[in-house]
Amino acid sequence: MEQVLFRHNRPGRCITFAEYRSQGGFGALTRALRELAPLDLQQLVMDSRLRGRGGAGFPTGLKWSFVRRDLPGPRWLICNCDEMEPGTYKDRVLLEANPYSLVEGVILAAYALGVPHAFIFIRRGYESAAANLRRALAEATTANLLGENILGSGFSCHIDLHLSAGRYICGEETALINALEGKRANPRAKPPFPAVKGLWGGPTVVNNVETLANIPDIVANGPEWFRSLGATPDAAGTKLFCVSGHVQNSHCFELPLGMTLGEIIDGPCGGMKPGRSFKACLPGGASTPYFTREQWGIPMEFDAVAKAGSRLGTGGIVVFDEETCMVGATLNLIRFYARESCGWCTPCREGLPYVRHILERLEGGRGEPGDIDLLREQVKYLNYAFCALAPGAMGPVDGLLRHFQEELREHITLKRCPFGGRG
Amino acid sequence: MIPDSLRKELAARVREAITPREAAVDIMKELQRHSGWLTDEGVEVAAELLGLSPLQVEELATFYEMIYRRPVGKQVIHLCDSISCWCMGGERIMEQLREKLGVEPGGTTTDGRFTLIPCACLGNCGEGPTMMVGDTLHGRLTPEEVNDILCAA
């Protein structure tokens, strides 16, 4: 299978600047600065049909095109490496193996957007990824691929690393902007969207690590090539799928976008662990409704997954075997979200602990028949939250209600968890 | 006491920032590195350097999971309790740590060596259960390995 983002990787270590360059690295930047106008580069990314790899899947070129270029003051670019969605570790794997594709991608995006100063926002716990990036930025600066008057083109760009200190909400783009400004990371109201009014009030683009790391190869090989990498006509590019849970090989794989769930689990993942069988999975990280055997043949690309009632999200697939209590799993997820709520708005601050309470009751054998309806109501109410955290949190609850109602009822009638969970 | 040399170093970091408070997380982390936790004096110093009130620094400090506003042990153990680690037996590892260290989550051992804190996903999901001791990640934990790691830490 064609490897793009992992093409440069060497087993067990991070590649060097010289290795990246000898494989054509920074060639796309050199060419773009010489041959492409910023808007041509933006058009190229639009034509590639690259969609954001951070969770929402918004078309990257389109996002760039929303940036107001006629306002006074600087524009900003932020790379979101606050990878804290449970089940997601692709950006860490990418950066631990190769920080250079991202650095080149950030400079290219900055050139397309006319941004003189970009930031990479990186989470706590990714210390070795941050160290790789710091080295890569220094090497790129020394080689005049970053900094003032890059390769004599007249374009200057600086990249700062911001090392965060934990908290899931920092990954929400407007919360991230507040965090970067040194403010408490509560989300901001949208509109205005960051493309109009973001960091320090200037037009701002926030893109995920994997999204930006794809840009150099799109520039080098063209949008048609990129579109041809997908497994279905609707899917463009490869995707980093990071798999965890009860599969034989729980690693991060670069696969064609649109491979089916079954092909991913039976193929690179080597199937389930010995003696275990597949029950369900989170298809795209902690905030996505479960898939079951019924969705085995769904192509793992944005539209097909959405049509099947879930979200491709980050591509973090968490696989559960038949011994897993889905009420217990959902309770674990809701505990995470209740703890990570920033507390800014009432539906999220009050609603998530209430949902946690209901699930604790059910898992602890103290559930009542009305609890299922209560949960269903909350799935609706939490959509009134200020940002996407609470509706995302209710994704697995929604999946639980749709796919595992029998299991929920069993908890109520038996007055205990059939899998031995204590709640 | 926060030494003058550290204050000068931090003041230089603030000068590099586009706006002073952009450096807030860096400053809090450096002060924490110096004292082991972000002390009351640290909050005052950070406020002075960043041009904020101590309360504004407090608001930030209490927001971040990995800024400690209470004394912690020499090593902080962050054990992931999110979904991938949970389904690979993370709760068993928590039991083992509680028993071995004789502390509840959030507590510090009587000898001051370890503080045990459950935490959000550490991004090592393919190798659950995972914990971070200081800055080092340990994955695919078994109860036996936990003992070895604690002895070596």
Side-chain angles (χ1 to χ4, degrees), chain A residues 76 84 86-89 92 117 119 123-126 163-167 169-170 179-185 200 243-246 250-251 273 282 318 320 324-325 328-329 332-333 336 339-340, chain B residues 13 16 18-19 21-26 29 52 58-60 62-68 78 81-84 86-88 91 95 118-127 132 134-135 137 140:
Chain A
W76 305 97
M84 288 197 65
T88 310
Y89 57 99
R92 179 179 61 77
H117 202 128
F119 292 87
R123 61 162 289 177
R124 165 84 171 118
Y126 281 18
L163 275 69
S164 189
R167 282 309 168 206
I169 192 63
C170 292
L180 207 50
E181 289 182 9
K183 296 177 184 151
R184 195 177 167 102
W200 293 302
V243 189
S244 60
H246 302 133
S250 51
H251 302 298
K273 284 188 184 295
L282 294 159
V318 187
F320 305 109
T324 310
C325 172
N332 173 280
L333 291 162
F336 167 83
R339 192 173 63 193
E340 295 300 317
Chain B
R13 167 67 189 93
E16 272 174 29
I18 293 176
T19 67
R21 68 182 297 169
E22 181 213 329
V25 175
D26 281 357
K29 276 185 173 171
L52 300 173
E58 186 79 325
E59 184 192 40
L60 288 172
T62 54
F63 172 81
Y64 286 107
E65 186 173 14
M66 307 251 178
I67 300 290
Y68 317 124
H78 286 282
D81 62 7
S82 294
I83 190 72
S84 302
W86 172 83
C87 79
M88 295 306 285
E91 286 176 335
E95 284 310 308
C119 73
C121 182
L122 288 166
N124 196 37
C125 317
E127 298 185 17
M132 186 166 73
D135 279 346
L137 279 178
R140 298 189 197 278

Side-chain angles (χ1 to χ4, degrees), chain A residues 52-54 58-61 63-64 77-81 102 109 113 119 173 205-212 215:
Chain A
R53 303 304 201 226
F58 196 81
T60 306
K63 196 184 221 182
W64 291 5
L77 169 67
I78 304 170
C79 169
N80 186 347
C81 185
L102 176 64
L113 294 159
F119 292 87
E173 60 177 0
V205 166
V206 184
N207 282 146
N208 171 259
V209 170
E210 185 187 345
T211 310
L212 289 167
I215 306 290

Side-chain angles (χ1 to χ4, degrees), chain B residues 11-125:
Chain B
R13 167 67 189 93
V14 174
R15 275 196 299 277
E16 272 174 29
I18 293 176
T19 67
R21 68 182 297 169
E22 181 213 329
V25 175
D26 281 357
I27 300 299
M28 290 192 296
K29 276 185 173 171
E30 285 310 313
L31 289 164
Q32 174 164 292
R33 202 188 311 275
H34 175 77
S35 309
W37 59 293
L38 186 63
T39 60
D40 293 352
E41 187 202 6
V43 170
E44 302 267 346
V45 170
E48 201 184 300
L49 287 164
L50 296 163
L52 300 173
S53 72
L55 189 61
Q56 285 174 304
V57 174
E58 186 79 325
E59 184 192 40
L60 288 172
T62 54
F63 172 81
Y64 286 107
E65 186 173 14
M66 307 251 178
I67 300 290
Y68 317 124
R69 276 295 279 123
R70 275 190 280 175
V72 290
K74 280 203 180 68
Q75 302 260 32
V76 178
I77 301 172
H78 286 282
L79 178 71
C80 172
D81 62 7
S82 294
I83 190 72
S84 302
C85 289
W86 172 83
C87 79
M88 295 306 285
E91 286 176 335
R92 236 179 42 233
I93 303 298
M94 179 50 99
E95 284 310 308
Q96 169 79 5
L97 282 165
R98 277 161 82 156
E99 197 179 301
K100 186 82 191 157
L101 298 171
V103 294
E104 290 301 303
T108 300
T109 53
T110 43
D111 62 2
R113 272 185 74 196
F114 296 108
T115 296
L116 175 62
I117 305 181
C119 73
C121 182
L122 288 166
N124 196 37
C125 317

Side-chain angles (χ1 to χ4, degrees), chain A residues 288-364:
Chain A
T288 58
Y290 301 113
F291 270 1
T292 65
R293 264 282 169 192
E294 285 166 42
Q295 285 81 33
W296 198 248
I298 298 291
M300 293 294 281
E301 58 93 5
F302 298 99
D303 297 333
V305 172
K307 221 168 127 194
S310 190
R311 289 187 303 111
L312 185 72
T314 57
I317 305 175
V318 187
V319 179
F320 305 109
D321 69 2
E322 76 292 351
E323 294 296 314
T324 310
C325 172
M326 298 314 290
V327 179
T330 311
L331 172 58
N332 173 280
L333 291 162
I334 285 293
R335 279 182 173 147
F336 167 83
Y337 283 106
R339 192 173 63 193
E340 295 300 317
S341 168
C342 77
W344 176 255
C345 75
T346 312
C348 182
R349 183 185 63 243
E350 306 296 328
L352 290 175
Y354 182 50
V355 174
R356 181 185 64 199
H357 172 74
I358 300 168
L359 287 168
E360 276 170 353
R361 203 155 71 187
L362 285 160
E363 181 69 351

